[in-house]
Amino acid sequence: MPFPIVISFYTKDTFYQLEVQNLIASCEKFGIGSQIEPIGSFGSWEVNCAYKPFFIHRKLQELKQPILWVDADGVFKRQPEDLSLFASHDFAVRINTDVPIEHPSRVVSSTIYANYTPGADALLRQWANRCRSEINRTGRQEEFWDQMALRDALYSEDNPAVFTSL
């Protein structure tokens, strides 16, 4: 199984526009295919981050093959390991089992493997809907992280995806 295409986006006219150059260079250094796109700001860091599941879903539908999301400030320090062991899963993400399920950092969404499967499709839709609902929730005071919505989607009873820790 070939290594998945790395996808990411960065917000134009922000420091991420410079930061993403390190990710691009590391993909080139290790011969990793990538599709990294600029986006305009949606008005805040929170809303820009909440766009992540929408972007991942769109790219998965366009590419029709497994993908690996890496945040724009991520970088490959060495040749990545074979991810073929994830081929039997719909989704993989870093899960911190040392913290309770309700902890904001239980799931870390900086690197995500999504397989081109109905389970991954459904999970990405659920994650996107949860992000949209939380960002638009009237009276919201606390900072919102997209990974909290992903955590809730992963651990929901109606999650159809087979997932594992990355």
Side-chain angles (χ1 to χ4, degrees):
M1 181 176 115
F3 195 79
I5 293 177
V6 169
I7 64 164
S8 192
F9 67 75
Y10 61 93
T11 313
K12 291 187 282 191
D13 303 321
T14 68
F15 75 94
Y16 288 109
Q17 188 166 323
L18 297 175
E19 191 74 25
V20 78
Q21 297 306 314
N22 295 319
L23 174 58
I24 293 168
S26 71
C27 286
E28 290 172 355
K29 176 180 179 180
F30 295 112
I32 302 167
S34 64
Q35 292 191 11
I36 300 169
E37 301 176 12
I39 63 163
S41 178
F42 293 106
S44 74
W45 175 84
E46 287 176 303
V47 180
N48 293 343
C49 289
Y51 177 63
K52 188 185 300 184
F54 296 93
F55 180 84
I56 294 171
H57 185 259
R58 178 175 61 83
K59 295 303 289 183
L60 194 60
Q61 296 310 306
E62 284 175 13
L63 297 169
K64 298 183 182 339
Q65 67 180 70
I67 55 92
L68 187 70
W69 163 271
V70 178
D71 277 357
D73 57 356
V75 65
F76 289 93
K77 295 287 192 181
R78 60 181 168 81
Q79 183 71 43
E81 295 178 20
D82 179 18
L83 295 181
S84 62
L85 65 134
F86 297 115
S88 62
H89 294 85
D90 299 308
F91 205 83
V93 64
R94 183 170 159 222
I95 299 173
N96 287 325
T97 56
D98 295 340
V99 298
I101 288 176
E102 63 276 359
H103 193 279
S105 293
R106 171 69 176 209
V107 173
V108 180
S109 65
S110 57
T111 304
I112 295 169
Y113 169 83
N115 205 346
Y116 183 60
T117 61
D121 179 79
L123 178 60
L124 287 166
R125 288 175 190 268
Q126 287 180 11
W127 179 22
N129 288 335
R130 288 173 184 269
C131 281
R132 182 185 296 121
S133 293
E134 186 59 28
I135 287 293
N136 294 325
R137 185 169 53 88
T138 304
R140 180 176 61 84
Q141 301 274 326
E142 65 281 350
E143 184 175 76
F144 171 71
W145 300 350
D146 67 274
Q147 67 190 31
M148 295 185 300
L150 176 56
R151 173 204 61 206
D152 294 345
L154 282 171
Y155 290 107
S156 72
E157 289 183 15
D158 60 341
N159 173 17
V162 176
F163 72 94
T164 190
S165 185
L166 185 61

